[in-house]
Amino acid sequence: MGSGKHYVLAAGGTGGHMVPAAALAAELTRRGHKVALLSDTRGARFPDLFDGVETRVVQAGRFSGGPVGWIKTVGLMLRGREQALQLYREFKPAAVIAFGGYASMPALMAAFSVKVPTIIHEQNAVLGRVNRLVAGRVSAIATSYDKVERLKPSHEKKTHLVGNPVREAVLDLRLKPYPPLEEDGIFRVLVTGGSQGASVLSEVVPDGLALLPVHFRRRLQVTHQARVEDIDDVRRKYAEHGIPAEIATYLPDLPERLAWAHVVIARAGASTIAELTAAGRPAILVPLPSATDDHQTANAREISAAGGARTIPQRAFTPQELAKQMQKLGLEPVGLAHAAACARSVGRPDAVRDLADLVESIDADWASAGLGRAEPVKVRQGGEAFA
């Protein structure tokens, strides 16, 4: 393995892309490498994840809005490509690692044009749109699941199962036992909809928990992450039901909350699943129905099949259904601990190590990289762009 190299990470500015990128950045830095980040304006403002890492904003856009929208997006992508090339000329990366999102596209276009090795990491169980566009061009594909939909068989030889990196504070929970649940003890529930919250959880969960048998309901203690616009209604509902609850719009100490929880009620985003399986926490999952290619439903299959979670489609997510599933999970302490072990069994705790090993195996020949001359970018209308 090499040391002291430069690597550029590219990621769209959502938690699902940024969290694994930040975990890799920390691991590569620990190994003595230098890392830079390319993202959009959201990623550049992401709290605390990339402290001390050089961050550049690149222009990017979605291929939508018909021909006029496509033309606008092409212009943004080309400007973003030039911004990425400027960083490459200064930073001379040994490889570019992209985590999806439209902001990663200009970074990859630039890397293709100057023949810098590239790796894409797919967090979900369905290959994302940008990753599908570039899969044939990249040097390697890293996946988080053994089975990934929309991944062509012709790409299998360069595909590596590594898992989805999580923050070190979450990974540390794997070394701690599942919190014991005494027969009459406090039952701790964590409700989180991801970095942006989820209104459906705020609408259903308080009323669903209120339907639990009295002896169960009186043991509840809830931490609930809610959207700003929902927080007053959520607080009122819990108060009316007499359920102790802490409500917040953001949980900066999420690893500690995860350690505290007996059950998690959440969406099925890639980072959420990775953290649940790393920590070993049973869950009730409500996949986001509007997620691209329904990838959250695909994300939930592995942990649910293992017995570590129960998945409820949003159309069936009612207070009555939630109460029924909560009783199935929570009335038997032994069964709950078993579900936690099942969730833990499908975790991939070495994800960041294995991804960093893959990155270090890729190198660039700077003598022939040609950073002074960029080849033209070809853009095909109708939703595809590539160098």
Side-chain angles (χ1 to χ4, degrees), residues 192-210:
T192 174
S195 59
Q196 300 300 317
S199 290
V200 69
L201 301 184
S202 296
E203 293 166 4
V204 173
V205 172
D207 293 339
L209 297 181

Side-chain angles (χ1 to χ4, degrees), residues 13-348:
T14 65
H17 301 307
M18 297 290 283
V19 169
L24 178 62
E27 177 65 14
L28 290 174
T29 300
R30 187 188 67 77
R31 296 186 183 197
H33 304 301
K34 188 172 182 180
V35 176
L37 172 71
L38 288 172
S39 189
D40 52 30
T41 53
R42 299 171 302 165
R45 295 194 298 264
F46 223 88
D48 305 325
L49 286 181
F50 285 90
D51 290 345
V53 173
E54 181 178 359
T55 300
R56 303 273 185 100
V57 172
V58 291
Q59 299 288 315
R62 293 174 175 268
F63 282 92
S64 60
V68 174
W70 298 337
I71 291 171
K72 181 180 179 181
T73 296
V74 168
L76 290 172
M77 290 290 186
L78 291 174
R79 285 199 292 275
R81 172 183 175 275
E82 289 304 315
Q83 292 165 334
L85 281 172
Q86 180 59 41
L87 173 63
Y88 299 170
R89 293 184 185 106
E90 300 169 9
F91 196 68
K92 294 183 170 54
V96 174
I97 305 94
F99 289 81
Y102 284 92
S104 66
M105 186 59 138
L108 290 167
M109 292 164 63
F112 296 153
S113 70
V114 293
K115 299 180 175 60
V116 174
T118 51
I119 299 171
I120 54 174
H121 179 270
E122 179 56 61
Q123 300 89 53
N124 294 298
V126 181
L127 200 65
R129 288 179 178 176
V130 170
N131 284 347
R132 290 202 298 268
L133 292 173
V134 300
R137 297 288 307 276
V138 298
S139 309
I141 301 169
T143 64
S144 302
Y145 293 87
D146 185 38
K147 296 181 180 178
V148 178
E149 298 175 19
R150 311 295 287 273
L151 180 63
K152 294 181 179 179
S154 59
H155 299 153
E156 289 181 0
K157 289 185 178 180
K158 61 179 177 181
T159 298
H160 306 261
L161 174 61
V162 299
N164 193 10
V166 299
R167 291 168 288 184
E168 189 172 350
V170 174
L171 197 58
D172 287 345
L173 300 182
R174 197 170 180 86
L175 305 176
K176 301 177 181 179
Y178 179 72
L181 178 64
E182 302 297 335
E183 188 172 342
D184 296 320
I186 294 174
F187 190 98
R188 301 190 291 266
V189 180
L190 172 64
V191 184
T192 174
S195 59
Q196 300 300 317
S199 290
V200 69
L201 301 184
S202 296
E203 293 166 4
V204 173
V205 172
D207 293 339
L209 297 181
L211 295 177
L212 293 171
V214 174
H215 70 279
F216 192 173
R217 188 173 69 246
R218 286 176 175 170
R219 297 165 53 202
L220 293 175
Q221 187 171 336
V222 180
T223 295
H224 189 128
Q225 180 207 8
R227 291 177 182 268
V228 173
E229 59 267 31
D230 298 330
I231 198 165
D232 289 338
D233 283 343
V234 174
R235 185 175 287 115
R236 175 183 54 79
K237 284 184 176 183
Y238 280 119
E240 289 176 353
H241 297 317
I243 298 173
E246 179 183 354
I247 300 98
T249 58
Y250 177 62
L251 299 174
D253 57 345
L254 187 59
E256 288 83 358
R257 305 287 183 164
L258 198 57
W260 167 91
H262 291 111
V263 168
V264 179
I265 303 172
R267 287 297 198 190
S271 290
T272 297
I273 300 294
E275 292 182 345
L276 289 171
T277 57
R281 290 297 181 273
I284 293 174
L285 301 173
V286 186
L288 176 67
S290 61
T292 305
D293 299 314
D294 197 21
H295 66 254
Q296 288 203 2
T297 296
N299 291 349
R301 286 177 187 146
E302 185 178 55
I303 184 174
S304 296
R310 295 174 181 271
T311 300
I312 307 174
Q314 184 164 310
R315 64 181 180 277
F317 188 57
T318 63
Q320 293 77 13
E321 181 64 21
L322 174 61
K324 181 173 74 174
Q325 298 300 335
M326 280 291 294
Q327 289 184 78
K328 288 181 178 179
L329 268 177
L331 286 179
E332 292 287 343
V334 174
L336 194 63
H338 176 71
C342 290
R344 190 178 186 276
S345 72
V346 293
R348 295 183 172 88

